[in-house]
Amino acid sequence: MVSQRAIFVDAGFLLAIGGTQVVGTSLRSAFRVDYQKLIEGILNCTEAHSGIDVLRTYWYDASKDALFTDQHKQIGLLPGVKVRLGRISFNGEQKGVDLKLGLDLVGVARNRAASVAYLVSGDDDLAEAVEEAQDLGMKVVLVGVADSGHRLGVMSVAEHLALRVDSIITLPAELIASCFTRIVQEAPRPAAALPAATPGHLPRPVPKPGIPMGKPSSPSRPAPHLGVRYQSSEPSLVYSSGGSGTSIITEESPLDVAQEVGESVASSWYGSITQGELNELLADRPILPVEIDRVLLKDCAQRIGEYKTDLQGVRKALRLAFWQKLDTLI
């Protein structure tokens, strides 16, 4: 086996972690990334750990119909970087990314093209591919973002995956902080640009701040209005996972987390959109675009786990907090 390293980067995982760390949300429109600096930082970190030459860096992401965007072309033109794309489904989820990464990892090991693989991911779906590569003689090192509050020492990594790699290293916190920047645009003013009524049609009403549209909340629990935090009867455990695996971190109320995540995503989204995008969102109220809804659920799941985020009350609180925060910003 050739004594060199190969780097496998799950871009969705890395960008979600970096965005959450620096700007408070995984919503990609809320931040910009210095990809060249980020990839160079990963190269330097893995070189310092192994001291061997690099085969290449594989960058896995998703796009509509698996077509290269301008951003992906920019990344793919970097020396030694190969971009591999899955597709984005109708509901905004990535499809085929983990499969491509796992097949490439095993393929490089089978062809004996590298002796060490550095994996930047947290998804436990890759655990079987990791073990297959190890059986073929390759060492697999997990590269994460340090989190001193997590018992694994890294953010959003499934325990099922962490237990199967040969070792874990972390990227410098200053690298993440220097590569991610919040996108801030001039705040839109929707009142002056809402679509006018046409003959025979009434415009959709825009509710006043703090008064959401849609079905009323369940009478069994009052809705968590803006500025009011409802505590659950018992504290709940917070989980962090890149996939279905979970690890206990700390205790927080799921509804409190949902309130905080909803407000954070609303603030980040509002600071990065155009006038037209805001008008489109308000015209469809209370329905949220799939990409915003997906980020709400993903950011919340990172803190309280997928199981608790699937609870209907938590999902309602997330969306309600988003709309209420947006009303105050408008």
Side-chain angles (χ1 to χ4, degrees), residues 41 45 144 170-177:
C45 183
T170 57
L171 297 173
E174 55 269 20
L175 173 66
I176 301 300

Side-chain angles (χ1 to χ4, degrees), residues 21 23 61 93 106 141 163 184 214 216 242 247 252 261 279 307 327:
Q21 281 278 80
V23 304
D61 204 0
E93 295 182 351
V106 174
V141 179
L163 290 173
V184 179
S247 300
E252 288 184 272
V261 169
N279 290 340
Y307 173 74
D327 285 337

Side-chain angles (χ1 to χ4, degrees), residues 25-79:
T25 179
S26 63
L27 186 68
R28 290 204 191 183
S29 63
F31 55 85
R32 62 173 55 89
V33 182
D34 186 335
Y35 291 101
Q36 182 172 355
K37 185 175 182 179
L38 181 60
I39 292 173
E40 287 177 352
I42 296 172
L43 284 168
N44 293 337
C45 183
T46 57
E47 182 179 16
H49 180 259
S50 66
I52 58 178
D53 292 336
V54 63
L55 170 65
R56 68 177 56 87
T57 298
Y58 295 87
W59 184 271
Y60 299 87
D61 204 0
S63 66
K64 184 178 180 181
D65 299 324
L67 298 176
F68 274 68
T69 64
D70 289 342
Q71 185 181 87
H72 292 133
K73 292 176 183 178
Q74 173 191 351
I75 297 170
L77 289 173
L78 295 174

